[in-house]
Amino acid sequence: MKIDRNDMLELTRRMTVDRSNFSRIAGCYVDPDGEIDGTFNRSFLRLTPAEKEQHLKIAKAIPYAQTNTELNAYRIPKERTGANNIWQLLDGIKNSEMKNDALLDVLYEIMADYFVVDHEWGMYVFYGSYDIPAKGADHVEQWESEEVYQHLIFAFCPVDEEYNPGEPEYGILYPLFTNRSADFDHVAIFDPKKAHDEMTIGLFKLV
């Protein structure tokens, strides 16, 4: 399956300080040995304008990446339930609007086991809820909403000693946004250097 660039651009157009539909940002910091150094979970709306701009740049890098080269669609395995199923965990985090720290702590431990790099890194998780505006026959957006698209964006970034993030090395958009609608059969993976099969294949079981 190919990602439609226009779908991704529709999402990124909302990723500005004034128009952002993100309501929470959470994440963790992990040392090169895979040990978690700390976690955070904050209301996105309570960030300062400078903090919002910094974090929106991180989030936007995932859907704005070159589609079907850096950012690729994968079909999610049909079996999405049962013990240790990552998709069930992601659904729980999304449906709780990232307000359940216990689920997030489980996620951090799993991600720290699979994302293996030789430097300190941070995982930034964004929860967004986008009221998709209806479009008329002339393709002009109307005021009424057709659907609410709840989604998570993950960005895995190197961080310095002060936990300042660099550009994302890996990322996830879940669920995928296809034909202006939530696509629960697919997920988008950002892996520009194709360096993290441990995540894509080992954890998510995507091929």
Side-chain angles (χ1 to χ4, degrees):
M1 174 181 169
K2 298 293 185 181
I3 298 174
D4 188 331
R5 181 72 174 168
N6 289 327
D7 284 330
M8 297 300 99
L9 292 178
E10 180 170 351
L11 292 182
T12 58
R13 281 195 294 270
R14 270 71 183 178
M15 294 183 188
T16 66
V17 172
D18 294 331
R19 301 183 68 191
S20 171
N21 52 58
F22 294 126
S23 59
R24 295 203 74 79
I25 177 172
C28 64
Y29 302 110
V30 183
D31 68 22
D33 296 323
E35 298 296 326
I36 296 173
D37 286 342
T39 65
F40 59 93
N41 189 347
R42 301 179 64 186
S43 166
F44 196 87
L45 302 177
R46 294 183 180 178
L47 300 179
T48 67
E51 289 173 328
K52 288 180 181 177
E53 186 170 359
Q54 178 193 38
H55 289 106
L56 283 168
K57 182 179 178 180
I58 294 171
K60 187 175 181 178
I62 308 308
Y64 197 68
Q66 289 299 315
T67 50
N68 307 306
T69 54
E70 296 180 332
L71 182 72
N72 290 281
Y74 292 85
R75 179 171 289 280
I76 297 171
K78 290 183 178 180
E79 180 53 58
R80 297 167 56 124
T81 60
N84 303 318
N85 188 286
I86 188 67
W87 304 107
Q88 189 176 35
L89 178 60
L90 295 188
D91 281 336
I93 291 170
K94 175 178 63 67
N95 294 338
S96 72
E97 300 181 5
M98 279 193 352
K99 295 176 182 177
N100 187 321
D101 284 324
L103 292 179
L104 287 166
D105 286 342
V106 173
L107 178 72
Y108 301 151
E109 293 290 346
I110 293 173
M111 296 300 193
D113 286 340
Y114 279 89
F115 190 74
V116 180
V117 290
D118 60 358
H119 54 73
E120 188 101 359
W121 57 275
M123 181 178 71
Y124 299 81
V125 191
F126 302 81
Y127 167 77
S129 180
Y130 170 39
D131 278 337
I132 305 168
K135 285 190 176 181
D138 55 0
H139 301 291
V140 175
E141 291 186 355
Q142 311 295 312
W143 285 107
E144 60 271 16
S145 172
E146 285 188 328
E147 176 188 344
V148 177
Y149 169 58
Q150 292 180 287
H151 57 286
L152 302 172
I153 290 180
F154 297 76
F156 295 73
C157 306
V159 295
D160 62 20
E161 294 180 353
E162 303 299 322
Y163 297 127
N164 296 308
E167 295 184 357
E169 298 177 344
Y170 188 86
I172 305 160
L173 169 62
Y174 174 75
L176 188 56
F177 190 59
T178 304
N179 295 325
R180 307 189 69 243
S181 181
D183 179 358
F184 289 100
D185 292 327
H186 293 89
V187 61
I189 299 291
F190 170 75
D191 189 6
K193 297 183 179 179
K194 303 297 185 289
H196 298 289
D197 285 348
E198 296 91 346
M199 294 286 289
T200 303
I201 299 174
L203 174 58
F204 295 116
K205 312 299 182 188
L206 303 171
V207 293

